[in-house]
Amino acid sequence: MEGPAAENIILEAGKSGELISVFRLVEETQANGEIKFSPTICRDLAKAVSCRTYAGAVLELCHLVHVADARGGGGGYVHFFWGHGPARPAGFKGAIRNSLKNPTWRGTEVTVTDSGVDIAYSDGGFSITYSRMPFLSALMEFLISSIGFGDLNDVFAGMLGPGISKDAVSRCANELSRCVYDYLKDHLPTAQNMRKFHCLIGFMKERHGVDFTPSAIDDETILDFWISKTADGPAAEGDFKTYESVFRAFLRLRHALEQAAGLYALDGARSIGANREAGEVDPDSIHAMVETVDEYRSPLLVLQEPPAGAIKFLNNKEMAGLELLMDCGKAAFDLALSLMRCEVFTKKQGRVTQALRRRADAGELRGIIDECALVTYEDRREEYARKSFHMDNMLLASLYALVRARNEEAISLIVALRPDLDLRPLANLLRIGKETADNVVMLSSKSVSDRFMDMIGDADKAGKDMVALVADAREAFNGVSRRGFSAERLDESAVVDGFAVGGMVLLGVKEHLADFLRKLENARLPYENWTRQFDADKDVFTKQFHILYEGS
Amino acid sequence: MTTWNIFTSKQKMAVELAFDALSTMDGITDRRDTFKGGIQRIGFSDLYSFVTSSDSMMDEKLERALEQDGRLRGELDRLLERTAVYRFPKLAAASSGKADHRGGEGVLIRLKQSRAEQTQTYVIIELAPDFPEAPKILFLRSAPDRYIKHPLPEAHDGVIQVLAEEDSDLVRALRKVDTEVSLH
């Protein structure tokens, strides 16, 4: 296959190369040899852009630019945003404090507090916290990479220097928001997304009637839709060529339907207008819906950044292998087969498109398609089980680190890891103050947790099971040779904080995976087991790939 | 269970907008190779580092990007303008078409041939006592897409001295009257 026809097969509609490259630029930006923006900050930025909830942040950014220009030394705001290493609250705090004595210009009254800066204009005040500055810095990076330094600098010119009013800053922010709107109008794939949306809704109505529910989006529906959309072979529309694009589209539709149903239940759709262009839509409501859907994904981001990032709980491959499962949230349990199809067959579909890009000959292409799965469902299930085992081990190792550091989170981990552990031997020894009931163990009290830590290794006091758990934890810790798992570093507070925060986050990820594994174990499949299901699905995918990429 | 047909029009709009936002998020945060935007870009941070850090020199990637991308050149020019300690005014065309010194407020650049080695030339930067701060980098723009960056040694008694070959890019660019010169 050659030329435009091949490209047509590969490219997926709805993806703006320009916008993707700008986001990659922001994500990959380095400062002092480190990644400048944390994954959570980048994800928050993507949400603000996708939900069009950037206006408030643009206003904050303009106020910060106004202050930063005074505090940034000779280069003004440019030095403030780009001259202080990775974007962290402490870095911006230091930059502002250090420049207090030597501002570029004076005029606006700025008070530096422990939490941020208070700006007193002649016509009102504005405050910005240090914790907000990393996000505003990422927004600045996005704006400069999309709109450009020249246009951005022109907008900012109206609000720099002494004697500027709060109103003038607001006017500049409005102008900047208009620039962002114009840029996104050309680069957000809204039209393609709308087309996809109406196509999916049309299919659901046709298949299930107008009274379909979110749960009507099931494994069979998703597969049938993909087969129908790829039936035209190489001439098929670009929106739904890959099975993964179909799975993700239905997943997102299901998420959106569930969220809107929640709005209905609360009768809270008041702020949602029926016309976005007429300004009747409250973007914050959409942002809140997206935020809720995204809750399952965020733990993986938290594990990559301080303080949890100091500990390598999961490597990149392990992390990547969990992303789709976490993106699905609870929908993974209802769409377990679809998710497995996606995990097993779409990687190979990616190889087919790569082969097309390098214009592989027909024989090679056919070979790749015939061997259309790198692993079976059973392999994949075992892989998930191995990850679950690995996470159990990491949690056990984390427990040892926390016990050694006498960190209170050790107690939460013990309860989570061994919910059936008999804590009665400790009960009498831990009672403090007036008793209200004989069986109360007040684990939340700081003094109790201190006593708990004193006794945890003593079999006579804590019981044999507890002592055995701590011994297992020590063994697990000593058996891990990854970043952070070093006895010598357990005195460092950053490392202990990493175990405390990361341990609890990892626990949430592990519980989601454990629930999914149970679902796989008990799944009702069209065929009698996962092995038979794989054989049947392999025939379906092979046939469909031949149709899609070879025409028959 | 809520069904599609009993959703209000506002709810349906909410579903549509949430679907749009979630799909956009998936698209722009997708890191797999097949969905790459294709263009590996030079970011503003790269330009900032190039302009302000003595260690960051012009590499092949930046050079090619500046040759090909007019907007990037514009951004670099703006950044040079914004962060310069001093920008020299343009020189009037000399009869020879060559310059051997450039003067500005509190600063002078002179070119002086080495007596010991005639193929070498001293670039001497003299700073007045009240010059705001000692520059660390000399930037030259000798053509629209031709940038030369030269890290500077420390000033001694207000004088910075660099020894370069007469036919080096640095000296040749400084001799051209239409080269734009700035100190950083």
Side-chain angles (χ1 to χ4, degrees), chain A residues 246-285:
Chain A
V246 170
F247 173 66
R248 279 199 176 271
F250 272 114
L251 178 70
R252 292 326 194 180
L253 178 63
R254 189 178 161 125
H255 283 147
L257 285 165
E258 285 167 349
Q259 290 300 310
L263 284 178
Y264 178 81
L266 298 169
D267 193 24
R270 289 184 296 272
S271 58
I272 306 291
N275 186 339
R276 171 190 269 171
E277 293 302 319
E280 293 171 23
V281 174
D282 175 13
D284 288 339
S285 301

Side-chain angles (χ1 to χ4, degrees), chain A residues 230-246:
Chain A
T230 48
D232 290 341
E237 291 171 41
D239 286 345
F240 298 114
K241 277 177 180 159
T242 65
Y243 178 79
E244 183 172 9
S245 69
V246 170

Side-chain angles (χ1 to χ4, degrees), chain B residues 66 70 72-78 80 87 90 102 138-149 169 173-174 176-182:
Chain B
L66 286 169
L72 192 68
R73 289 198 298 273
E75 309 242 297
L76 180 55
D77 291 342
R78 287 244 192 183
L80 286 169
R87 286 171 67 81
K90 282 193 174 176
R102 287 163 197 264
L138 173 66
F139 262 102
L140 310 171
R141 186 175 183 253
S142 57
D145 61 353
R146 183 85 179 114
Y147 297 86
I148 297 165
K149 173 183 177 180
D169 288 346
L174 277 169
K176 282 176 67 177
V177 290
D178 51 357
T179 295
E180 293 172 19
V181 182
S182 57

Side-chain angles (χ1 to χ4, degrees), chain A residues 69 79 149 194 244 264, chain B residues 11 16 32 48 75 82:
Chain A
D69 202 59
H79 281 330
F149 182 43
M194 293 298 99
E244 183 172 9
Y264 178 81
Chain B
Q11 277 178 297
E16 192 171 339
R32 288 163 306 161
Y48 180 82
E75 309 242 297
R82 173 103 205 171

Side-chain angles (χ1 to χ4, degrees), chain A residues 320-343:
Chain A
L322 289 166
E323 279 178 1
L324 187 59
L325 174 65
M326 299 309 284
D327 272 348
C328 289
K330 284 186 177 170
F333 308 145
D334 288 339
L335 301 175
L337 176 55
S338 300
L339 198 157
M340 291 294 265
R341 283 173 174 152
C342 208
E343 293 280 20

Side-chain angles (χ1 to χ4, degrees), chain A residues 90-108:
Chain A
F92 292 112
K93 187 175 184 175
I96 286 181
R97 286 189 180 274
N98 288 342
S99 63
L100 273 177
K101 292 174 189 166
N102 187 27
T104 312
W105 49 262
R106 294 176 191 274
T108 305

